[in-house]
Amino acid sequence: MNVELINIHKWFGPVHANDGITLRIPSGVIQGLLGENGAGKSTLMKILSGFYQADEGEIRLDGKPVKIESPADAIRHGVGMLHQDPLDFPPMRVVDNLLIGHRGGLFPNRAEAIRAMQDLQARFGFNIDPYAYVDSLTVGERQQLEIMRLLWLGARVLILDEPTTGISANQKEKLFATLRALAEQGMTVIFVSHKLEEVEELCHRVAVLRQGKLVGEVEPPYRTEDLVKLMFGKVVLPEDKTHFDSKESLFRLENLSIEDYRLQIRNVNLTVHRGEVIGLAGMEGSGQRQFLQACAGIIRPVAGEIYLGEKRLTGRPYREFLEAGITYVPAARLEEGLIPGLTLTEHFVLAEPQNGFVVNRQKAEVLTTQRIADFSIKGVPSSTVESLSGGNQQRALLAMLRQPLSVILLEHPTRGLDIESTIWIWGKLKERCRQGTAIIFTSADLEEILHYSDRILVFFGGKVSQPIEATKTSVEELGQLIGGKGF
Amino acid sequence: MVRTSSRWTNFVFQLLAIVLALAFTSLVMVLAKANPLEAYRNIVVGSLGSINKFSDVLVAWVPLLLATSGLLVTYTAGLWNIGVEGQITLGAIFTTWALRVLQDSTLSPGLIIVIGFLSGALGGMLWASVVAFLRIYGGVNEIFGGLGMNFVATALTIWLIFGPWKRPGIGSMSGTEPFKETLWLPTFAGLRISPWSLVIGIIGIAVIYILLQGTYFGLKLKAVGRNRRAAFLLGIPTTQYMWAAFLLCGLFAGLAGAVQVLGVYHRLIPSISSGYGFLGMLVAMLINYQPAWAAPVAMFFAALNIGSIQLPIVMKLDSTLSGVLQGALVLAVLLMDGVRQRLLRRR
């Protein structure tokens, strides 16, 4: 099926997530869609698959303008989307998952579903027991199930969002073979990814998005440098290269290994200096979050050692990390960092060490007023945190950091903030570095990482690069590493 | 400016809620072919008509206030301690047990009563700790755990009354053998209310008010209730705080049960909790978990309960009418709150 997206616009509040994107995809093609986090790829695909409606623009399928109002609507038009995290029902059987969303009478026809499933399995060489429970399947098998479900529902356009995360190399090969077979049969396949190698291997053509705009369409033979340049572009930050790296060892990781159901991070060795800033680059979900949380003592590493100075912290409870002056600032401000319903004053009282049994309201008020002024928070002491804007919530989070601290671990400290706030927040953080605090932070913005870090670690699917001196690398080189080139 | 206008709209919506609840209750009465105005008048007379009647309102007020106080703690921690009924019952059972063991001893009656209160508190905490354990370590939602434990508590009461603690001769629904009068909480002359009950109720709510409004404990508990993850990251030991909330609520519920035995019934009866646990949940919801309002609103609910006792006699109406009004009131207030938020969001 020919897919045409014409002049698509989508705003989320002030954010222009899709800015006049026009993309035409003929049938029988595997179309790659590249872009960094927040570039607008997911938004665009969710518009095509009915999760969102475009604010402006038109979608044409086989030349006919259509209005897609829901995912169910999309599948009726033949558009199906495979999400990054499988949207299935783990406690139910495979065949029942297949039947969900299928239109039929009061009683589902299991026999027919199983017949259809066996046909599809034979076509693609899948081998899933229709009576197995979904939570007993691997991520790869769940993907195969989802592909079969969409095909059975009549999908002729298949959108895959980062489908290779968390599946084995073997399953990846099978997936790619399936996608190629589908394209040969005239299906349109849209492959959303940030992994350069996979896109280069699989896709017949690639479109690159950056900051909501379509910045380029490329056909083979691909040149990796061109793709990286298109993805990351150039953002200009004002000159502020103040560094306080003392070369004096402060925080040490020895052969640290972390595991979670999707990722394995193995044998990280790192010595962080007093006053140093370490930037963690990599696509979302490559292991940076787990790494930060292990450093903070929130998740326990499966092997290795963590030292602060001479103090061994491995396996100690989170509170001991806190007491030692290691603090984690999460990215999800209202979900993990702040407490909706509580005021700024109450937050600052909670963040300070407890002093007696009864809260001294007056003192707390004075402290809060002081912090509001220091951090230019637009709010009053009795403002609840959810009434503040995102930038002011971030300022409040930073204002809650105790004095002094050894290590600050920040997850996306400037996500969603304008350039002015970003510079201001880094000013505050660098003040901490001047006092000898080490900072480890993640960011999706390579320019920010290059600009403020002393050294950089690149994450790719749980693999961690050697520390890279910020002065000896470039956005292009980091971009290639993030895309998995060189691992 | 936004603040004052929203306070006004709040007030208007609350007023609307009361009107709505009264209208609904009146409609029910009209359907039952009764005169609503006469019924309301009877409720007022039945609860405030004489000093005797008012003292009966206070008798109901104390355990209701204690249950509400305890529930305010669990609500603050984000927990729905529906097991409060069973915790009241266990408080009553433990108090009865202590009195049965000690009633023939040489201890002074005053001391036995004090031990009775302490045992009641212990019983409530014990029952709450089962729910807490299931919730914190077993992942069993406290609503289900509490509901289950309520049934067990009821069954336990019935078994005791008809089994080991039955009256000489034959067990009956009227409960265990009443204790001798020296073990009754002393009352005001000629009235049924004891000054000691009042003191316990008032001190109880005062303690909760101070704890929740002024202390680190209260603030941290609130943080745990509003966002457990963020509270943990801030270094608050969330598990301990959840335990504390359950145990405190159990303690207050247990005291309510002790008051029912020592000050009201002087024995164990089958429905010793009198539904004050569930009623306390309604009060807590109605006051939106602000301790300052607990005493007056609990008083209002107690008055409705006592006032409606008149209805079957005078008007041949069932006394559960007070329950209709109480339920309608809570639902109307919650509904109006939802409507208000919807309207404000749309603007």
Side-chain angles (χ1 to χ4, degrees):
Chain A
M1 183 150 59
N2 292 308
V3 178
E4 286 170 278
L5 296 158
I6 298 158
N7 195 26
I8 301 287
H9 283 273
K10 180 76 188 174
W11 281 269
F12 292 108
V15 180
H16 205 164
N18 280 174
D19 186 355
I21 295 176
T22 299
L23 184 62
R24 294 190 168 82
I25 309 165
S27 68
V29 157
I30 304 181
Q31 168 80 49
L33 198 55
L34 264 177
E36 59 174 329
N37 298 125
K41 359 181 248 291
S42 287
T43 305
L44 187 65
M45 289 304 104
K46 283 181 175 169
I47 288 171
L48 180 55
S49 63
F51 271 80
Y52 299 143
Q53 272 73 56
D55 293 327
E56 274 175 42
E58 194 179 65
I59 300 172
R60 288 190 202 156
L61 300 175
D62 280 338
K64 234 174 45 208
V66 291
K67 232 176 131 43
I68 300 177
E69 284 174 339
S70 70
D73 216 19
I75 197 77
R76 276 196 286 282
H77 284 109
V79 179
M81 179 155 173
L82 204 74
H83 290 262
Q84 188 169 359
D85 288 300
L87 286 184
D88 49 20
F89 301 85
M92 290 168 60
R93 290 180 195 281
V94 166
V95 51
D96 293 330
N97 266 271
L98 216 54
L99 281 163
I100 290 172
H102 193 253
R103 283 197 292 181
L106 186 56
F107 299 101
N109 190 343
R110 275 213 182 70
E112 190 203 314
I114 289 172
R115 227 176 3 257
M117 182 176 159
Q118 302 300 20
D119 282 351
L120 288 165
Q121 298 227 66
R123 222 165 103 196
F124 300 114
F126 298 162
N127 187 19
I128 302 174
D129 173 10
Y131 288 105
Y133 284 95
V134 170
D135 50 13
S136 70
L137 303 183
T138 65
V139 178
E141 286 172 326
R142 286 167 72 175
Q143 246 171 22
Q144 296 171 353
L145 169 62
E146 193 65 7
I147 291 176
M148 288 194 284
R149 191 178 73 84
L150 293 172
L151 291 178
W152 190 46
L153 289 175
R156 281 173 296 148
V157 178
L158 204 59
I159 305 165
L160 299 102
D161 190 4
E162 306 280 359
T164 57
T165 317
I167 66 174
S168 68
N170 212 349
Q171 282 171 330
K172 192 175 95 179
E173 283 314 309
K174 193 169 263 179
L175 174 70
F176 281 13
T178 309
L179 296 181
R180 288 195 187 99
L182 286 172
E184 269 160 32
Q185 292 160 17
M187 293 263 304
T188 310
V189 176
I190 307 177
F191 185 81
V192 182
S193 180
H194 65 263
K195 293 181 183 151
L196 297 169
E197 252 163 34
E198 291 174 0
V199 171
E200 289 174 9
E201 180 192 335
L202 181 71
C203 298
H204 299 133
R205 39 191 282 177
V206 176
V208 185
L209 298 189
R210 188 172 75 234
Q211 289 173 350
K213 290 196 174 75
L214 181 71
V215 290
E217 289 185 75
V218 189
E219 294 196 357
Y222 301 109
R223 281 184 58 216
T224 310
E225 303 89 76
D226 294 347
L227 292 177
V228 169
K229 208 166 278 172
L230 281 171
M231 266 172 89
F232 295 101
K234 272 269 174 222
V235 189
V236 187
L237 281 171
E239 201 54 38
D240 162 58
K241 282 252 171 187
T242 39
H243 291 276
F244 301 99
D245 183 358
S246 64
K247 305 293 175 202
E248 184 190 335
S249 160
L250 172 68
F251 185 65
R252 216 164 70 244
L253 307 174
E254 291 175 2
N255 294 317
L256 196 74
S257 295
I258 308 159
E259 267 178 27
D260 116 339
Y261 71 103
R262 261 200 169 169
L263 275 175
Q264 294 183 335
I265 300 173
R266 291 254 170 266
N267 297 329
V268 182
N269 284 293
L270 179 69
T271 302
V272 185
H273 308 139
R274 243 171 234 292
E276 189 181 21
V277 178
I278 304 264
L280 308 181
M283 281 292 162
E284 194 96 330
S286 301
Q288 307 96 305
R289 178 181 165 85
Q290 287 83 347
F291 178 79
L292 279 186
Q293 293 197 344
C295 290
I298 297 164
I299 56 178
R300 234 166 240 231
V302 290
E305 299 287 345
I306 302 173
Y307 287 96
L308 181 70
E310 286 313 302
K311 194 177 160 72
R312 180 172 176 270
L313 285 169
T314 323
R316 307 304 305 166
Y318 170 65
R319 272 162 67 81
E320 272 187 46
F321 280 72
L322 267 187
E323 279 156 21
I326 299 177
T327 292
Y328 167 67
V329 183
R333 295 184 274 257
L334 276 186
E335 288 76 35
E336 295 192 312
L338 301 170
I339 300 160
L342 261 57
T343 63
L344 280 174
T345 310
E346 287 175 319
H347 276 84
F348 290 122
V349 171
L350 287 172
E352 289 297 307
Q354 180 164 343
N355 181 12
F357 183 67
V358 176
V359 177
N360 186 336
R361 290 264 155 192
Q362 229 173 340
K363 239 170 107 182
E365 204 93 343
V366 172
L367 172 87
T368 307
T369 313
Q370 182 66 39
R371 292 279 171 87
I372 286 177
D374 282 355
F375 284 78
S376 336
I377 300 168
K378 287 193 186 64
V380 292
S382 63
S383 307
T384 53
V385 287
E386 70 271 25
S387 70
L388 303 177
S389 72
N392 284 305
Q393 287 171 1
Q394 189 66 34
R395 286 164 191 248
L397 257 183
L398 292 178
M400 281 163 68
L401 293 175
R402 284 189 194 176
Q403 201 59 275
L405 285 172
S406 308
V407 184
I408 306 178
L409 305 154
L410 299 134
E411 205 184 355
H412 297 293
T414 62
R415 175 146 84 192
L417 303 191
D418 55 41
I419 192 90
E420 203 180 317
S421 302
T422 303
I423 293 166
W424 188 89
I425 276 172
W426 273 107
K428 282 283 172 192
L429 290 172
K430 288 283 180 169
E431 247 172 62
R432 294 289 190 135
C433 292
R434 190 199 305 274
Q435 297 161 11
T437 305
I439 289 178
I440 307 180
F441 78 103
T442 67
S443 174
D445 182 348
L446 288 182
E447 280 290 337
E448 184 185 17
I449 289 185
L450 262 180
H451 200 77
Y452 294 108
S453 312
D454 294 298
R455 286 184 296 162
I456 299 165
L457 298 181
V458 181
F459 284 69
F460 176 76
K463 295 195 190 73
V464 186
S465 74
Q466 288 301 311
I468 303 164
E469 296 283 336
T471 49
K472 293 184 185 140
T473 184
S474 61
V475 168
E476 285 73 24
E477 191 188 348
L478 289 179
Q480 297 218 7
L481 280 168
I482 286 172
K485 298 251 169 174
F487 272 95
Chain B
M1 288 164 305
V2 179
R3 210 155 269 276
T4 43
S5 78
S6 81
R7 190 169 295 171
W8 264 106
T9 47
N10 273 356
F11 179 72
V12 170
F13 275 102
Q14 269 154 11
L15 208 65
L16 266 175
I18 293 171
V19 171
L20 194 67
L22 285 174
F24 176 77
T25 316
S26 305
L27 183 71
V28 170
M29 283 189 269
V30 169
L31 288 177
K33 297 195 172 54
N35 181 349
L37 288 178
E38 197 192 337
Y40 293 136
R41 194 182 58 83
N42 274 314
I43 290 177
V44 174
V45 172
S47 55
L48 304 172
S50 70
I51 190 82
N52 259 313
K53 286 184 172 141
F54 184 64
S55 95
D56 285 352
V57 171
L58 292 178
V59 168
W61 179 61
V62 170
L64 180 57
L65 186 58
L66 285 169
T68 306
S69 306
L71 285 166
L72 286 172
V73 179
T74 39
Y75 275 124
T76 303
L79 299 165
W80 290 81
N81 185 18
I82 205 167
V84 63
E85 277 284 317
Q87 289 148 27
I88 296 175
T89 306
L90 256 283
I93 290 175
F94 267 56
T95 303
T96 310
W97 188 15
L99 260 59
R100 286 179 69 90
V101 170
L102 299 174
Q103 60 186 347
D104 299 321
S105 71
T106 54
L107 295 178
S108 74
L111 187 60
I112 295 179
I113 288 176
V114 170
I115 293 173
F117 271 116
L118 293 178
S119 311
L122 197 69
M125 286 162 81
L126 181 82
W127 223 236
S129 67
V130 176
V131 179
F133 185 86
L134 289 171
R135 169 70 169 83
I136 295 167
Y137 303 108
V140 179
N141 187 306
E142 73 276 5
I143 295 177
F144 301 131
L147 201 57
M149 294 308 283
N150 285 351
F151 283 115
V152 179
T154 307
L156 188 62
T157 317
I158 302 288
W159 175 70
L160 286 170
I161 290 172
F162 287 92
W165 293 354
K166 70 168 179 252
R167 287 186 178 193
I170 187 146
S172 88
M173 286 301 278
S174 63
T176 58
E177 185 74 17
F179 297 112
K180 57 191 177 210
E181 274 189 48
T182 51
L183 293 179
W184 297 13
L185 269 187
T187 61
F188 288 110
L191 300 176
R192 298 209 303 139
I193 182 68
S194 159
W196 296 108
S197 302
L198 284 177
V199 166
I200 288 171
I202 290 166
I203 290 181
I205 187 63
V207 165
I208 292 301
Y209 178 84
I210 294 166
L211 206 58
L212 294 185
Q213 300 287 316
T215 65
Y216 277 99
F217 177 83
L219 184 55
K220 289 183 178 179
L221 201 64
K222 194 167 156 193
V224 171
R226 298 287 178 121
N227 188 343
R228 199 165 295 144
R229 173 77 180 162
F232 169 75
L233 289 179
L234 276 171
I236 300 170
T238 51
T239 305
Q240 273 130 284
Y241 272 78
M242 282 164 75
W243 266 109
F246 272 120
L247 291 179
L248 256 178
C249 186
L251 185 147
F252 274 83
L255 285 178
V259 166
Q260 289 287 80
V261 171
L262 291 163
V264 185
Y265 293 106
H266 314 299
R267 59 179 191 269
L268 186 65
I269 62 165
S271 56
I272 188 81
S273 74
S274 305
Y276 290 140
F278 291 140
L279 207 54
M281 300 196 94
L282 290 190
V283 174
M285 275 189 257
L286 194 59
I287 62 179
N288 198 19
Y289 321 125
Q290 300 162 60
W293 286 93
V297 174
M299 182 78 83
F300 176 59
F301 271 42
L304 283 179
N305 263 18
I306 301 300
S308 61
I309 291 175
Q310 291 275 21
L311 297 178
I313 309 156
V314 187
M315 295 179 68
K316 303 258 182 295
L317 273 175
D318 199 88
S319 67
T320 48
L321 191 69
S322 67
V324 175
L325 184 52
Q326 287 159 347
L329 201 55
V330 173
L331 288 180
V333 166
L334 293 179
L335 176 71
M336 280 302 155
D337 199 43
V339 169
R340 182 179 58 85
Q341 281 176 7
R342 257 187 107 93
L343 286 178
L344 290 183
R345 205 180 314 139
R346 196 158 295 171
R347 221 172 279 157

